[in-house]
Amino acid sequence: VPSAAATIDRAPAPPVQPAAATAGGGGGLPATGGRTLGGGTPAMDAAQVPSDPAADDAFWAERAPGPEPAAPAPGVVRLVVRLPDGSRAKPRAFETSTALGTVLAYVHMSGNPLSSAREWKLVQSMPKGELRGLDSPLSGLVDAGSAMLLLDEDC
């Protein structure tokens, strides 16, 4: 007499693709260039981070900069922000007390869409430095005058 367990129909297991058949060799996982998040979870490539343009617009609008301060002046820096694709946002003056989130809002609102779902940082090559966190002031990276900063994802 067969047991009850032996009579249960089981769905066949899905076929397993060989790792070489997928982009990045991740067994069907998105290609990540070998990057993983903690616990071995594959990290998303920039193109795979979900973005909602309307939500992005609302997010950055809350951080919109006020009127542009006169430059040159004490406590004012004129920024040129180079974007990840190599293009540049229109130069603009900011007070050095301005938060990173306000600079990012300016970049977004000047026709260079930024996803609010990503973490961003500004990088300066000379002297070397980085600015992270939406509330971090520019004074943590630059003094008055002018600066060229690179916008990059904070991975």
Side-chain angles (χ1 to χ4, degrees):
V1 175
S3 70
T7 60
I8 296 175
D9 288 334
R10 295 188 182 193
V16 177
Q17 285 185 322
T22 62
L29 298 173
T32 63
R35 296 173 299 152
T36 59
L37 302 172
T41 304
M44 288 185 169
D45 282 339
Q48 296 171 325
V49 174
S51 183
D52 174 5
D56 291 341
D57 289 346
F59 179 85
W60 296 121
E62 292 176 6
R63 291 157 181 78
E68 184 171 7
V76 175
V77 62
R78 186 159 184 78
L79 291 183
V80 176
V81 178
R82 193 174 75 192
L83 305 172
D85 67 2
S87 64
R88 295 178 181 172
K90 181 180 175 187
R92 187 192 194 276
F94 293 93
E95 294 180 359
T96 56
S97 60
T98 301
L100 172 61
T102 302
V103 174
L104 297 177
Y106 166 74
V107 170
H108 176 83
M109 295 167 69
S110 64
N112 304 290
L114 298 178
S115 171
S116 58
R118 297 186 188 145
E119 298 288 324
W120 297 97
K121 65 181 176 182
L122 284 177
V123 179
Q124 179 173 287
S125 59
M126 241 352 166
K128 191 171 175 81
E130 292 183 349
L131 190 63
R132 293 181 160 107
L134 293 177
D135 295 327
S136 299
L138 287 173
S139 61
L141 185 61
V142 296
D143 294 324
S146 63
M148 170 159 317
L149 304 176
L150 171 66
L151 177 65
D152 198 7
E153 279 191 83
D154 191 8
C155 299

